[in-house]
Amino acid sequence: MSSATTTANAVAATRRRHTRSLASQRRWALYGSYAALVVFVIMFLIPPFYTVMTSLKTSAEISAQSGNPWFAHNPTLSNFIELIEMPDFQYFFMNSVMITVVTVVVSMVISVMAAFSLARMGFWGSSTLATGVFLTYLVPASLLFIPLFQILGFLGLINNVWCLALVYPTLAVPFCTWIMIGYFSSIPKELDEAALIDGAGYVQMLLKIFIPVAMPGIIAATIFAFTVSWGAFLYPMAYLYSMDQMVLTVGIISDLVRGDVFQWGKIMAASVLAAAPPVIIYAFLMDYYIAGLTSGATKG
Amino acid sequence: MSQVSIRKVVKSYDGDVQAVKGIDLEIEDHEFVVLVGPSGCGKSTTLRMVAGLEEITDGEIWIGGDIVNDVPPRDRDIAMVFQNYALYPHMSVFDNMAFGLKLRKVPKPEIKQRVDEAARILDIGELLDRKPKALSGGQRQRVAMGRAIVRHPKVFLFDEPLSNLDAKLRVQMRTEIKKVHQTVNTTTVYVTHDQVEAMTLADRVVVMNQGVIEQVGPPQELYHNPGTRFVAGFIGSPAMNFLPCRVQNGAGGLTVRVGDSMVLPVPPARKERYASFKDREMILGLRPEHLYEYHDDSKPGVARVEAPADVVEPMGMETMVHFFVNGIPVCARVDPATHAVPGETLPLSADLNHMHLIEPETGRVV
Ligand SMILES: Nc1ncnc2c1ncn2[C@@H]1O[C@H](COP(=O)(O)OP(=O)(O)O)[C@@H](O)[C@H]1O
Ligand SMILES: [Mg+2]
């Protein structure tokens, strides 16, 4: 046999070995990622699971030492019913919803318009301003609440739930603006120019082109603003004290924990109810969020 | 009334770099004018100033009898097709085409009728419900053109609309654009870097180089009578051959001497024109098709030259032969039946009746 064949065989062998090792590397990488994912899924799902289970138990069952604590043996909705009938809980819920809706709307209107002008209008100092907006976001919220307390005190808004509608947008707007600048900047310049030539002004360009095309970004920013408002703990804790002005996060803790008496069943039921809106909204918006909308604008 | 006049227009970016250095151009109603030139010569800038997307540093632009320097794009009554199509990704093809009309508050039935008409012209009737991402490159290009057509504007502006298409589709769409222009007959300014596109589409070609207009004229005119060395070299493929030469008195009158070995007779019709350049260093320009396989027909102005072929490229209809004269590459276009072999000397006829004599200092064709 010629030496050429030998070489060819050797090359083929090397290639085979190489492929095998690639395939096995890939397999091990998969094993590793699945293992990590399983650990994380368990870690993240156990608390909500336990919350739901506990919310379905009677106080007697919760305090009972016997039986498997992971399952509700005589599931009941009594915690939920009692909770919904509590006037305080109704206040909390309504206040949370109100403040969150206002926060999301105000934050999105401000940040979309700010991002559009910063990303597209290119006025003097616009890029510096864009950096400035992001730097604002880097200031920790826990540093801000004392100065904000003074401002709200000056405005006479302490212990008024609407003070949150003033405070939350200041937290949400910088980050939302920053997200939106990123999305708007990724829209090809020719799209504006086509719209300009087609007869659109800046407002129409924003409403008819930019907002629909940047919908994934709008949804991401909306979710962020929603989370800031719905989940905030520090600010309502610091600024509100009467029950009719309270929101869910702080209200649940302060109303259902009296001294060292924890009404576990109701606390858990309240948590389930408080967690429901974000879960529903995320599930609903995720589809839009994932679907990329920019493809097909240009040659792509 | 849709002439476009560009008068002494200057564009400088950031105050110093002049992208367009004072150009003048009159475009007639219904005319198809192509701006052509190498990348960075200021074609797009010129077009964008006509569109109103770029401010005019100095000079005037008129569209249909009105000065438009300070008129925003939407009020200039123009439509533009971009290189990357710039379709609105979230709208169907119908809505893409209808967008400009809706903004102008055209009644719904008329919008529908105009879109249908454009769709028929462009043969995209079945695509009206699709989103741009479900279209091929050629279809997107058609939609972009449709968006311009439905507007019935005074002027169409195209900025390299075909450069993103593959070679075959480009030729097909080129014909399409020509056909559309013949149908709707709208004044058109078309930008391209491809001289073939320019030649095939244009009523008049505007050759630009480094921010100035080198020459304006119908394609044939530019091809046969280029005004400058730049135009001579830019228009035509393969490009014109350029050889340093000297105009001298020789046997039988004025001759062009290329290097030491090659002496070519100036055809009688050109003798007077070239006499004043006697004994000066000049450049001889000769297109490849005027350098062909040798025929012994002793036409005036045709001379026999010989050169060893370096590379032979059969193309089917013709064969390109590359060789060197005094170290300068030269291309000849010969009949495919010619026996041309690399390394062997090939007798050729040089038809100097089509020669160009260029002043090296100014680049002017004399
Ligand atoms: N926005 C801009 N800022 C600065 N220089 C620019 C800008 N746009 C174009 N130029 C410059 O102007 C010149 C002409 O550009 P352009 O008109 O786009 O050329 P082309 O003929 O390739 O279309 C180029 O040198 C380019 O670098
Ligand atoms: Mg260009």
Side-chain angles (χ1 to χ4, degrees), chain B residues 73-281:
Chain B
R74 62 170 154 176
D75 299 327
R76 292 193 184 195
D77 203 4
I78 43 135
M80 185 155 170
V81 177
F82 295 86
Q83 175 172 357
N84 61 13
Y85 321 138
L87 300 180
Y88 310 123
H90 57 296
M91 296 184 194
S92 68
V93 167
F94 183 94
D95 289 335
N96 261 283
M97 299 211 281
F99 186 64
L101 299 178
K102 281 184 189 155
L103 289 176
R104 280 157 218 272
K105 309 254 184 305
V106 175
K108 276 236 164 66
E110 189 182 342
I111 293 182
K112 173 136 183 31
Q113 179 229 321
R114 286 209 212 172
V115 171
D116 286 343
E117 182 199 349
R120 188 178 47 74
I121 293 174
L122 293 164
D123 196 19
I124 49 173
E126 311 88 83
L127 307 177
L128 288 178
D129 294 329
R130 295 215 199 149
K131 290 275 173 63
K133 65 165 171 276
L135 302 178
S136 70
Q139 289 169 332
R140 286 178 199 176
Q141 187 57 65
R142 279 166 209 264
V143 176
M145 273 164 61
R147 193 166 62 181
I149 292 173
V150 293
R151 293 257 321 277
H152 297 172
K154 283 197 190 124
V155 186
F156 282 152
L157 305 173
F158 289 86
D159 193 356
E160 311 231 4
L162 304 183
S163 357
N164 282 340
L165 301 177
D166 60 58
K168 201 170 159 194
L169 205 52
R170 203 173 325 164
V171 174
Q172 197 182 328
M173 286 305 294
R174 200 169 73 198
T175 321
E176 200 82 7
I177 290 177
K178 183 116 191 169
K179 212 171 73 193
V180 167
H181 181 253
Q182 282 162 3
T183 315
V184 301
N185 219 352
T186 306
T187 310
T188 302
V189 188
Y190 185 108
V191 161
T192 178
H193 64 270
D194 179 353
Q195 54 97 13
V196 180
E197 239 169 69
M199 298 285 284
T200 48
L201 285 171
D203 294 327
R204 272 193 311 155
V205 176
V206 178
V207 182
M208 291 187 66
N209 186 28
Q210 299 186 347
V212 298
I213 292 181
E214 290 268 338
Q215 195 175 355
V216 183
Q220 291 302 325
E221 163 82 15
L222 290 196
Y223 188 80
H224 294 295
N225 299 312
T228 62
R229 174 179 173 158
F230 178 81
V231 175
F234 190 79
I235 302 285
S237 173
M240 187 184 283
N241 300 302
F242 293 112
L243 290 165
C245 68
R246 220 180 156 83
V247 181
Q248 289 182 334
N249 265 331
L254 212 56
T255 59
V256 177
R257 173 184 278 275
V258 179
D260 295 328
S261 52
M262 200 184 280
V263 180
L264 307 166
V266 171
R270 305 276 182 111
K271 282 201 164 121
E272 204 172 325
R273 202 159 114 202
Y274 293 161
S276 57
F277 296 96
K278 206 158 68 181
D279 296 325
R280 281 180 53 188
E281 298 297 331

Side-chain angles (χ1 to χ4, degrees), chain A residues 259-274:
Chain A
D260 56 356
V261 180
F262 288 72
Q263 305 183 42
W264 281 119
K266 280 203 202 117
I267 292 177
M268 291 303 154
S271 306
V272 170
L273 290 178

Side-chain angles (χ1 to χ4, degrees), chain A residues 214-296:
Chain A
M215 202 35 99
I218 303 242
I219 287 168
T222 305
I223 289 178
F224 177 81
F226 181 92
T227 313
V228 161
S229 170
W230 192 262
F233 191 82
L234 182 63
Y235 291 91
M237 181 84 163
Y239 302 152
L240 308 175
Y241 42 84
S242 45
M243 285 303 144
D244 62 340
Q245 300 295 318
M246 200 49 90
V247 294
L248 273 173
T249 42
V250 179
I252 293 171
I253 306 294
S254 49
D255 208 26
L256 300 176
V257 183
R258 291 282 159 83
D260 56 356
V261 180
F262 288 72
Q263 305 183 42
W264 281 119
K266 280 203 202 117
I267 292 177
M268 291 303 154
S271 306
V272 170
L273 290 178
V279 169
I280 291 167
I281 288 173
Y282 289 9
F284 178 69
L285 292 182
M286 255 326 150
D287 285 346
Y288 286 97
Y289 183 51
I290 288 165
L293 279 170
T294 38
S295 58

